[in-house]
Amino acid sequence: MPSRTSHLVARSHALTRLRDRTVAIAAASATIIAGCLLWSDSSAYADDATSGVTVQEVAVALENVSGGLVKDAAESTGSAAEAPLQVHVPDSASDGVSMGVGDFELNISLPHAATADSAHLLGDGTTVYPSDGASSNAVVPAAGGVQLLSVIESSEAPENYSYDLTIPHGHRLEATTDGGAQIVDEQGRVKVEFEAAWAQDAAGVAVPTHYSVEGNTLTQVVNHKGMENVSYPIVADPLPVIVFVVTGLALVAVAALALGVGAWIVLSWWNTCQAKGKYPELSTKNGFTARCVK
């Protein structure tokens, strides 16, 4: 007859086997769960790459652009008297970005706005519109204008990014010989300049790009699909800058505030041009430019 001791030993062996089996099952389950999580994360990442562009992805893309191509957001001072250049960045991308000085107003639609979500404001003043598509928009109010940025997340994204302009009657949009564009009034005076197009991939490599003009639509063409070894995301940019023709001393302070330069600089150009019987035309294109016009 088995002794009590042998029963205890057998029970101990059985418990040990059960414990080992339980540990093995738990370990196998943990492996399966971990594998599922890794697979799930991988799948989610793959889906994210094709299903949309997040706020964080846009922020990182803009931060990685080299060469100072992305402007610093200008501080808003609030009242019209203190900030003659008015820039309105909407909550909905479909409303377009508005900017204006005095009686001149310009509205610029954002490309592929139908897939954009509501605006998110970053800490540096940049407004980001995350998207359900393969590209998204960001807007940076800059000195003298506003920078409009397209973030191209993958090869699935389109190559054409069109900006429809609502401009005053009698004004027209035209291409310039330096690769940019401009809006001129009935007298041919430049009111807004668009700096030459640029696009850069995540590795800092320039991507071929140019503007096309048709009516009041400015389209930036970014030829990323035919480019080998491109690193996504790509950031592309048109930068419209308000141009001031200073026709009187009363406009000196207004132009200086709107363009973010010292009043003494504007006054100096006023005196220089007046000595030639002309008026100064000022803008922040490529930093700050000034010339004398009739």
Side-chain angles (χ1 to χ4, degrees), residues 1 6 13 43 47 56-57 59 62 68 92 105 119 131 161 181 201 218 247 253 259 267:
M1 182 176 179
S6 62
H13 285 313
S43 297
D47 289 344
Q56 183 178 6
E57 287 171 335
L62 299 185
S92 173
E105 294 184 358
S131 172
Y161 296 82
D201 76 358
L218 178 71
T247 57
L259 297 176
L267 183 60

Side-chain angles (χ1 to χ4, degrees), residues 38-184:
L38 288 173
W39 179 86
S40 176
D41 286 346
S42 176
S43 297
Y45 182 84
D47 289 344
D48 286 345
T50 57
S51 64
V53 187
T54 66
V55 173
Q56 183 178 6
E57 287 171 335
V58 174
V60 171
L62 299 185
E63 184 177 352
N64 288 338
V65 175
S66 62
L69 293 174
V70 175
K71 305 294 184 182
D72 292 328
E75 294 184 2
S76 175
T77 54
S79 72
E82 295 173 334
L85 173 62
Q86 301 294 306
V87 175
H88 175 65
V89 182
D91 181 64
S92 173
S94 59
D95 291 337
V97 176
S98 298
M99 57 189 295
V101 176
D103 60 355
F104 177 84
E105 294 184 358
L106 168 66
N107 182 270
I108 308 173
S109 73
L110 297 176
H112 310 296
T115 62
D117 294 332
S118 297
H120 289 256
L121 184 64
L122 302 183
D124 64 356
T126 299
T127 298
V128 172
Y129 299 93
S131 172
D132 294 331
S135 67
S136 62
N137 297 291
V139 178
V140 182
V146 59
Q147 189 170 27
L148 309 174
L149 298 150
S150 290
V151 177
I152 302 169
E153 190 66 22
S154 72
S155 60
E156 300 301 316
E159 292 192 317
N160 292 349
Y161 296 82
S162 295
Y163 299 83
D164 296 323
L165 311 181
T166 302
I167 59 181
H169 178 72
H171 290 59
R172 67 180 184 276
L173 174 69
E174 59 186 26
T176 58
T177 56
D178 64 354
Q182 60 187 19
I183 298 173
V184 298

Side-chain angles (χ1 to χ4, degrees), residues 23-39:
V23 170
I25 292 173
S29 299
T31 301
I32 293 171
I33 292 171
C36 289
L37 288 174
L38 288 173
W39 179 86

